[in-house]
Structure formats: structure tokens, C-alpha cells
Amino acid sequence: MAGDADLDAAANGAVAGRFVNCGQSCIAAKRFFVVDSAVDEFLTKFAQRMRRLRVGDPLDPTTDVGPLVSEHQRDEIESQVKDAVAKGAKVEVGGKRSRREGWYFEPTLLSHVTKAMRVLREETFGPVAPVVAVPNLHTAIAEANDSEFGLGASIWTKDLARADELAREIESGMVFVNGAVKSDPRMPFGGVKHSGIGRELSRYGLLEMVNIKTVEVFPARGTGEAAQPVE
Amino acid sequence: MPSRRKSRAAKRRTFDVINPATGKALASYPIATAPQVRAKVEAARDAFRSWSRLDPKERAAYLLRFAEVLRKHKDGYAETMTLEMGKVIRESIAEVEKCAWAAEYFGENGPGFLQPELVATDAMRSYIAFHPRGVLGSIMPWNFPMWQIVRFAVPHGRREARERVAAVWVQLRDSVSRSGPPRWRLPDRRWRPNDCNCPDPLSGLRR
């Protein structure tokens, strides 16, 4: 998130990116690198929107966030949050199990996050958003790239003239400028580094699983026969 | 005793699907044995022989019909997904709609993607063809129970699925049957690797 990002759009995108499917998505936004000049305002806007999320019965059409899929997943996310707090992270929103029956964990916002914490080193497959303040966009990109994974990334900036250049610098299979990462049947889906091999969806995904077959046909030659013309 | 524990695991033949909003079991499903999986793979190979010979446009017609079936039953599919893995119902409905979109996208564009590319070489006629390869297996996660299957299946073909979302999977199989492709089926059993100490059921079937 650049210093010139539209922070309302970025906060909306952050909520969509982090909390869809209760955070249980490979393309969920999982690490938030925000330039110093914007971080306090971003945290405020993000927190406001998070507090409005309705956690509840997933069959209720007004519910925004349901339970995690299993007790194990809930325990795992809880342990990642506890690790962060023990190492100095601040809980801005949530941070604990919900009192509801079922495997719920409150939507959680963490600030003052460092690389020593599991929430930055491991995948957080649940509703926990760790925010890291960085001095500038260049560092944000470097920190984002400092990972063995590289599936999807979002860059938030008003400087659209730089969008393509910035997208090129990100080490991932998918880059969205001013939008949350999402899959689309028309576009290739996949990552680099340890995020996988190959692509799904689009023509590229289809071709991954076919026999790309070279066929060359030559005329049968009798003695003295001229080659047939090419059709 | 280690050997007794191992044989208990090998003997477990069913698994429960639990509703994460309540912690209560919804249903119990059988786990396929290696011979059962092998039989399904053989059946898939058999179906492949006729399915792969269809013109892509004929296969595409089935995908468009599949999209219609998904849309028609989307509320039921969505509810099953929500019960089995806790996704909020709005998102479950959106997921079924997205699956229908993907089926439509490949139904409309797939035949074009598979058109051969002519290339000039010293041959009389040379081109790059895109031919079916055979049966594809996959192991897909529970987090987008229908999308993970459909986005792989509509361009490619057959698949397996994780047991956590078994009912979604059974319903998907029924919707595929209803769209009518000849013997193009999804298997009706779950395969749980490493669970039964069985030898790899796909060994010997790999190309």
C-alpha cells in the first residue's frame, strides 16, 4: 500500500481480500505492507470496517463471517495470534475465540507485526490481518517478495502510470492494482516459487493438461517423384 | 501396540462430515478401497475412449447444459456447501454461479482454444495439435468445494475430491449426470491417501 493509496478503497479491498471464506483461501490477503505515512489512517479505516462485520450462523444471509472449517484450523489460527502477541504485536480488533458454539475466531487486526512472528512466516488460513509499517513502496515490494511463496498480490496506489512497472517487480503469479486478488475463468491462475507449478483456467490452464502434439506430414516419395505442393 | 493401531486405521471405512457452525456430524460416508478406486479409474479410461472422440463442439454443448443445471439447483448446492464447511450462504451461492460461468466460458471458448496451429516447416503440412491426454486425477481442497472441482474439470475432465465436502461432491456428480454427457462421470467414492496403508492405487495406471 503506497503513500498515495486511496485508503477507503484500500480498506474495503483489505476486508474483501482477508475475510472472504473466513480467510480460508489461498489468494486471501495475508500480509499487509503499508507505507508509514498511511499506516495509522489505514489501521483506523480497516478496523472500523472490521467491527461492522457480522459474525454468525453461515446459513443466515446477513452473516459476513462464519466459522473456521475445523477445530484444528481454529486452534492453529489462535496459536499464530498468540505467538504474534507474545512477540510484541498489538491486537487492534478481535484476537480471540468467539463465544459462539462452533469453531469461530473473531476477525482480528494486528499491528506492530515483525518477521519473527509466525503470522508473517506461515500462511494464516483464517480471519487474521497482520499489518506491517514500511518506510516506502520500494521496501513494501521487497518485503512482499521476501517469501518462498508467490501466488497473488495487490498493490494500492493512485499512480496508475506506474501500475505496470510495479506489477513487474512483484514476484507472484497474479498481480492486482487497486483490487483484491480473485480468480477469473478468463485469466491464468497460479503462482511462482513454492506456490506451485503451472496454471489453471483460461486457455493456458486448458493447455496444461493436453498433449501438445507436433504433427508433420511429408509426401511418400517414389523414385523420381516431385514433392507435392504445400496446401 | 503399533501394529494394532495401524490395522485399526486401515479398517476405518467411513468418515464423518462435521458442520463447523455446530460441531455436530451431518453424515457419514464410505472411504474407497484401493481396488474400488482402481475400478473407477478403469471406468474413467473406458469413458475416455468415447468422450475423447467427440468433437470439441459436442463436448462444449454438455458444458453449457451443465451450467444450466448448476444455476437451476444453486440454492440446494449452496446450502450443502455451507452446512459442510461453514462458508456463508451468500458466498456459497456466488460460488455455484461462478462454477456455471466457468462451464459456460469453456463451453463457448474451449473449441476455439483447441484449434490446431499451422506452422510452416520443411514438411508438406505441419501443425500443432491439442489432443486429449487421458484420465486426469486430482486431489483438491475443501475450501471452495464446488469451484475447486469445476474449475479443473470443465477444461479437462475427471477428478477426485477431499472427503470433507462429500455431499457437495455427490450433488455435483448428480448434476453432471443430469447434463447428460455419455459416461462422463465423477467417481462416487472418496479416496483418502495414506489412510489405509494401501499401495498407491494409481501405480501401473500412470502413463
Side-chain angles (χ1 to χ4, degrees):
Chain A
M1 213 163 287
D4 73 346
D6 178 327
L7 293 180
D8 287 304
N12 290 338
V15 168
R18 175 71 278 192
F19 298 106
V20 159
N21 206 25
C22 196
Q24 300 168 122
S25 168
C26 52
I27 49 170
K30 299 190 183 94
R31 297 177 297 148
F32 297 80
F33 299 101
V34 185
V35 170
D36 280 329
S37 58
V39 73
D40 289 336
E41 195 185 341
F42 172 71
L43 283 169
T44 302
K45 288 178 188 285
F46 197 10
Q48 267 166 8
R49 285 156 174 82
M50 281 177 63
R51 288 189 191 100
R52 290 202 291 263
L53 290 171
R54 293 190 51 149
V55 178
D57 177 2
L59 284 171
D60 181 339
T62 65
T63 299
D64 299 310
V65 178
L68 287 149
V69 74
S70 68
E71 188 174 12
H72 171 77
Q73 289 292 133
R74 194 275 311 277
D75 291 349
E76 185 70 1
I77 206 83
E78 181 178 53
S79 126
Q80 287 170 323
V81 170
K82 283 183 171 164
D83 170 85
V85 170
K87 290 170 179 162
K90 181 175 172 215
V91 177
E92 305 275 348
V93 180
K96 56 191 192 301
R97 295 183 186 192
S98 164
R99 268 185 301 229
R100 287 186 64 88
E101 171 195 49
W103 300 313
Y104 288 84
F105 196 84
E106 293 180 352
T108 296
L109 178 59
L110 299 173
S111 62
H112 302 91
V113 174
T114 69
K115 278 195 274 204
M117 300 171 190
R118 289 173 57 199
V119 290
L120 279 196
R121 292 202 324 270
E122 300 168 5
E123 185 175 27
T124 45
F125 219 61
V128 176
V131 175
V132 181
V134 290
N136 51 51
L137 186 58
H138 172 78
T139 310
I141 292 176
E143 290 294 308
N145 288 342
D146 182 18
S147 168
E148 55 176 339
F149 298 112
L151 183 60
S154 292
I155 305 173
W156 298 86
T157 175
K158 286 192 186 106
D159 190 356
L160 295 186
R162 291 190 69 202
D164 301 310
E165 167 208 328
L166 294 171
R168 190 178 166 81
E169 285 186 41
I170 292 275
E171 291 168 8
S172 72
M174 299 177 284
V175 179
F176 284 67
V177 181
N178 297 325
V181 179
K182 59 183 193 232
S183 59
D184 183 319
R186 302 165 290 196
M187 296 294 271
F189 183 98
V192 295
K193 300 196 264 190
H194 284 270
S195 287
I197 300 165
R199 294 288 179 269
E200 290 192 72
L201 300 173
S202 81
R203 180 169 189 253
Y204 292 89
L206 186 149
L207 293 182
E208 287 280 3
M209 295 289 171
V210 300
N211 177 0
I212 299 174
K213 187 183 284 182
T214 291
V215 181
E216 299 198 18
V217 181
F218 292 81
R221 285 178 209 278
T223 319
E225 221 175 70
Q228 296 299 306
V230 174
E231 279 185 350
Chain B
M1 316 244 153
S3 58
R4 207 179 293 161
R5 216 179 293 136
K6 180 173 155 178
S7 65
R8 256 209 302 275
K11 282 191 180 105
R12 186 155 46 109
R13 287 276 69 110
T14 64
F15 64 92
D16 290 338
V17 173
I18 314 278
N19 180 347
T22 61
K24 299 195 174 48
L26 289 165
S28 207
Y29 291 87
I31 297 173
T33 61
Q36 286 170 331
V37 173
R38 188 177 285 268
K40 292 295 181 185
V41 174
E42 283 303 329
R45 279 196 153 185
D46 203 42
F48 172 77
R49 280 184 254 283
S50 49
W51 177 248
S52 62
R53 281 183 173 76
L54 290 182
D55 187 274
K57 288 203 178 74
E58 289 182 82
R59 286 182 246 144
Y62 288 118
L63 290 181
L64 296 177
R65 172 85 184 106
F66 180 52
E68 276 174 25
V69 172
L70 285 178
R71 287 193 176 110
K72 187 170 167 196
H73 301 279
K74 75 178 178 191
D75 290 332
Y77 296 146
E79 187 180 85
T80 305
M81 258 196 274
T82 293
L83 284 168
E84 288 201 315
M85 46 74 62
K87 185 186 299 262
V88 298
I89 192 75
R90 280 189 341 252
E91 292 176 16
S92 294
I93 293 169
E95 183 165 333
V96 183
E97 286 171 344
K98 194 167 190 175
C99 290
W101 178 26
E104 218 164 49
Y105 174 75
F106 282 101
E108 287 166 359
N109 296 284
F113 291 161
L114 295 172
Q115 285 300 303
E117 292 174 13
L118 298 177
V119 180
T121 67
D122 60 325
M124 179 178 86
R125 195 165 82 247
S126 48
Y127 58 90
I128 306 166
F130 305 105
H131 286 168
R133 229 165 144 170
V135 173
L136 303 171
S138 73
I139 297 172
M140 286 292 186
W142 48 265
N143 61 340
F144 291 89
M146 192 172 271
W147 175 241
Q148 296 284 12
I149 297 175
V150 169
R151 80 185 204 180
F152 183 79
V154 293
H156 306 310
R158 244 197 103 107
R159 52 205 339 260
E160 300 286 336
R162 285 291 315 238
E163 71 272 6
R164 196 182 292 286
V165 285
V168 167
W169 219 69
V170 170
Q171 290 184 341
L172 195 58
R173 179 200 60 188
D174 290 342
S175 68
V176 167
S177 303
R178 265 178 256 168
S179 20
R183 307 175 68 197
W184 186 64
R185 304 172 311 198
L186 300 174
D188 58 6
R189 301 270 184 186
R190 254 62 47 200
W191 171 35
R192 197 158 158 176
N194 304 318
D195 192 44
C196 67
N197 294 305
C198 306
D200 179 355
L202 288 182
S203 68
L205 295 180
R206 280 196 194 97
R207 289 173 186 257

